Amino acid sequence: MQQLDRLEGTIAYITFTSQDTGFTVLELQTDDDLVTVVGEMVGVAPGQQLVVQGTYANHPSFGIQFKVQNYEVALPSDENAIYAYLASGAVKGIGPVTAKRIIKAFGANALEILECDPVQLATVKGISYRQAVDIQTEFKRIYGIQDVIMNLSNYGLTASQAIALYGVYGQATTEIISQNPYLLCNDPTFLPFERADNIANRMMMEYDSHQRIAGGVLYVLRHNSQKGHCCVPYDRLVETVSAFISVEPEKVEGVIEEKCDEGELFCEEINERPFVYLAQLYVAELVSCQKLTQLMASKPKTNIDISSVINTVQNILDIKYAPNQIKALEKVADSSVCIITGGPGTGKTTLVKGIISMFEMQADVVSLCAPTGRAAKRLGELSGKNAKTIHRLLEVVPGTKNDIKFQRNQDNPIPCDVLIVDECSMVDIVLFSQLITAVKDGCRVVLVGDYNQLPAVGPGNILKDLLDCGIVPNVQLTDIFRQARESDIVVNSHAINQGVYPKTGGRTGDYFFIESGENVEDYITGLVQTRLPRAYGIDSFEDIQILSPSRKRRGGTVNLNAALQSALNPENPAKPEIAFNGVVFRLGDKVMQIKNNYDLQFVRDNGETDVGVFNGDIGQIIAVDKFNKSLTVKIDDKTYVYPQEFFPQLEHAWAVTVHKSQGSEFKAVILCISDTPNELQYRNLLYTAFTRAKELLVVVGRSEIMARMVHNSKKQLRYSGVKHFIEEFNG
């Protein structure tokens, strides 16, 4: 474990603090010097005595800083120090004037009165009894958090981890963790099981305690959910947990049975084999299948004369539908739930336009959505209609953070008659369940996607599962249209799905393969910086996107981003920059949001304001404020100001992983497969990468890796009960 330095002193002043996260920048006056201290510190104020543990770091812009891991605050004891503390605004509801009155009334006993006696506090002029109770609550919260931080630091937990735990367990955090340290493996800290085990050993907890076995079971199930599984076979779960924590299988079985009785786990027999679920995933699958069954059972309320409507739609859109597309329109018109699936060039977009027109002709309200911001934007551009992310359609409640809540649900459904969900292969089972339960009775649902692409990052494979069950009405578009057949990208995408090695179309084609050596980053930099812009008249920033299967290794996104930033946006005295955790964010950088944030406000170009930025959104840093430590990022027509506590949600996006590119299309794509790890050499990843390019695709790498990816048709197995539940409800 890293040796921590220790500092002790008086807080001179506070430069910045976040009310949400507790992230603070302050100046600490020690016996020797004035030190800049940064980190999560809740309720600190000028004049307080502060003891911090952490490490020194040399910030490129701000010099030497002390990064806090743990801290302890000493309550001020004399009247002057108490006044300085209260007047600083550290306790919500008290300012300089009120602080002066409190000190006059109670002197050195002021803090004791704040904590214990709201009745007396309410005798101070300007403080009502309700305000006194609120002040007491806030005071206890501040020092409750600080007490938790101090106690949990004994087990090696950082201040930020303690603050996150306090947000879940409140004043009882220390007691709850001491009774069951394996809760640290859960949300919000997600510690490795080994860390929790070490803490439990220090608490003298038995190796076969109920808490440890239950912690092991939940840890293994969560680990599998991160791999995409909704459930795990009972026998495999018992065997894995038993080996993982070295306890007898019978004891594991006993704990699983108890957890099932308590409703934390569920056991379901699927094809005569028992499977174990985490409760959230079991409920998500169950309610999704129940709702889909309910929707399919209700005959669509329509007076559509399909032949006449199709003729009218073709005239309106000035297109001629192929037989399979007409079949799809007929199927959608006759179904409450329908799946449309197909690869690139098979006409999904023109079909969606027809579906929209068909229902709008009978005055139905049609809503369009997709799982990511870029996918929604693309759907809107292709259809000519407004499209939203699923989260925005469901009206996510700001401030809910990890425990996401939506205003749209079964009691307040989405106000539409037809719901079209694009890129459905990307939707995990939890989000799908929240979406489908918010569909009102009688609403049609059209699920559109390509099941050959990578499945959702989260658990489940809903599109493929619904197709496999054979019960949900569906149409699979397989014919490639003539214009699309002229594209090497489209033709090769379909060839890859058939296990055929892609072929280049010559100098006039739109797909090229370049065999690369070890200096792959230099080669790709040259392509982006000069060769492709010169040859095709495209913009290095706006039009070209580099993709890689992995983050690591020489051909991974981390190394490529470093090389591309250096070449495309090099260090320049005229370009301000901020370094954060070893990453330099510079004016002009291309960046990506890497997690959903429902609290960050944006301003549209037309002046409208709203909140929310989503995982996968790509933009550019257009301003760097070194004094306030903030970045201004432009994403499409929205401008966001990122305070420092949100910097970890940004990463450079000159190069992004194939997984992160799902739902997006780019004018030109460079795919790097120079040293792709074996575990990422599979067909649907390569196929997904190919289908991200609209006009130009250049693959840089090794032909033997390409061949292995083409021929590796083994798709990752995902345990799920969707097919089982749909068959059961429709039996």
Side-chain angles (χ1 to χ4, degrees), residues 37-172:
V37 177
V38 300
E40 285 83 359
M41 294 172 281
V42 174
V44 294
Q48 285 182 320
Q49 293 297 304
L50 184 67
V51 178
V52 290
Q53 289 183 307
T55 56
Y56 285 98
N58 190 2
H59 193 290
S61 301
F62 307 111
I64 299 295
Q65 294 181 333
F66 190 88
K67 299 178 73 172
V68 171
Q69 286 201 26
N70 298 296
Y71 73 97
E72 183 178 348
V73 177
L75 279 171
S77 55
D78 64 76
E79 291 186 11
N80 290 335
I82 294 172
Y83 169 75
Y85 168 64
L86 295 177
S88 71
V91 180
K92 189 177 178 181
I94 301 177
V97 174
T98 305
K100 197 170 188 178
R101 291 172 181 166
I102 291 172
I103 296 299
K104 184 177 179 181
F106 308 117
N109 296 322
L111 297 183
E112 185 180 345
I113 297 298
L114 256 66
E115 181 180 10
C116 304
D117 200 341
V119 174
Q120 277 205 67
L121 185 60
T123 63
V124 175
K125 183 180 178 182
I127 301 179
S128 67
Y129 179 72
R130 178 180 290 275
Q131 289 171 320
V133 171
D134 290 342
I135 289 170
Q136 179 191 44
T137 301
E138 176 67 6
F139 185 78
K140 284 185 173 181
R141 183 190 74 85
I142 291 170
Y143 283 94
I145 293 175
Q146 292 175 352
D147 186 58
V148 167
I149 290 169
M150 184 175 64
N151 287 317
L152 295 186
S153 69
N154 295 324
Y155 301 119
L157 271 69
T158 65
S160 59
Q161 289 170 330
I163 291 168
L165 288 164
Y166 185 92
V168 175
Y169 302 115
Q171 298 279 359

Side-chain angles (χ1 to χ4, degrees), residues 189-208:
T189 47
F190 294 112
L191 291 191
F193 190 85
E194 184 181 9
R195 281 279 310 275
D197 233 5
N198 290 336
I199 294 170
N201 286 336
R202 291 174 60 185
M203 296 176 177
M204 307 300 290
M205 193 168 283
E206 296 291 335
Y207 88 99
D208 59 352

Side-chain angles (χ1 to χ4, degrees), residues 288-303:
S288 296
C289 296
Q290 285 175 331
K291 181 68 179 207
L292 284 168
T293 300
Q294 176 190 335
L295 290 170
M296 287 189 293
S298 60
K299 190 67 178 173
K301 299 174 182 177
T302 179
N303 296 313

Side-chain angles (χ1 to χ4, degrees), residues 285-477:
E285 283 198 347
L286 192 69
V287 300
S288 296
C289 296
Q290 285 175 331
K291 181 68 179 207
L292 284 168
T293 300
Q294 176 190 335
L295 290 170
M296 287 189 293
S298 60
K299 190 67 178 173
K301 299 174 182 177
T302 179
N303 296 313
I304 295 178
D305 179 350
I306 191 62
S307 298
S308 173
V309 166
I310 290 175
N311 288 333
T312 304
V313 167
Q314 291 182 127
N315 290 332
I316 292 172
L317 300 179
D318 192 25
I319 56 176
K320 179 71 174 175
Y321 280 121
N324 208 25
Q325 289 177 306
I326 292 176
K327 176 184 174 184
L329 286 171
E330 292 171 343
K331 182 81 74 173
V332 169
D334 193 46
S335 307
S336 296
V337 179
C338 190
I339 299 172
I340 307 295
T341 185
T346 57
K348 291 198 304 292
T349 299
T350 53
L351 180 59
V352 169
K353 287 182 180 179
I355 293 170
I356 295 169
S357 296
M358 178 171 69
F359 288 116
E360 287 187 339
M361 283 172 58
Q362 61 174 21
D364 282 334
V365 177
V366 181
S367 287
L368 282 71
C369 67
T372 67
R374 292 186 71 85
K377 181 187 177 188
R378 177 168 160 261
L379 175 61
E381 290 171 346
L382 294 174
S383 66
K385 301 292 180 180
N386 181 41
K388 298 179 179 180
T389 64
I390 295 174
H391 289 84
R392 201 170 291 287
L393 180 70
L394 292 175
E395 299 176 18
V396 65
V397 178
T400 54
K401 294 184 170 59
N402 294 326
D403 183 22
I404 300 171
K405 293 182 174 62
F406 297 106
Q407 295 183 51
R408 295 292 175 183
N409 49 50
Q410 61 184 2
D411 299 319
N412 182 30
I414 303 164
C416 67
D417 304 303
V418 180
L419 176 64
I420 300 175
V421 188
D422 197 18
E423 296 288 357
C424 201
S425 63
M426 296 176 61
V427 184
D428 66 57
I429 188 61
V430 175
L431 183 58
F432 183 80
S433 70
Q434 291 164 319
L435 175 64
I436 203 69
T437 53
V439 172
K440 69 179 183 181
D441 294 341
C443 178
R444 297 175 188 265
V445 177
V446 182
L447 305 176
V448 183
D450 182 353
Y451 68 89
N452 286 310
Q453 288 190 26
L454 290 170
V457 174
N461 198 359
I462 187 70
L463 185 66
K464 185 70 166 60
D465 287 345
L466 292 178
L467 286 169
D468 286 347
C469 75
I471 293 173
V472 182
N474 68 86
V475 175
Q476 300 190 37
L477 304 176

Side-chain angles (χ1 to χ4, degrees), residues 167-240:
V168 175
Y169 302 115
Q171 298 279 359
T173 300
T174 302
E175 181 183 356
I176 289 172
I177 297 303
S178 66
Q179 291 174 354
N180 186 2
Y182 296 98
L183 293 174
L184 295 170
C185 300
N186 302 352
D187 187 29
T189 47
F190 294 112
L191 291 191
F193 190 85
E194 184 181 9
R195 281 279 310 275
D197 233 5
N198 290 336
I199 294 170
N201 286 336
R202 291 174 60 185
M203 296 176 177
M204 307 300 290
M205 193 168 283
E206 296 291 335
Y207 88 99
D208 59 352
S209 67
H210 180 277
Q211 294 95 322
R212 184 170 186 267
I213 298 173
V217 169
L218 295 172
Y219 190 85
V220 170
L221 284 171
R222 275 193 303 273
H223 175 76
N224 277 275
S225 73
Q226 291 164 5
K227 298 289 186 182
H229 300 294
C230 291
C231 52
V232 176
Y234 179 90
D235 54 347
R236 184 170 296 181
L237 177 62
V238 171
E239 179 185 352
T240 302

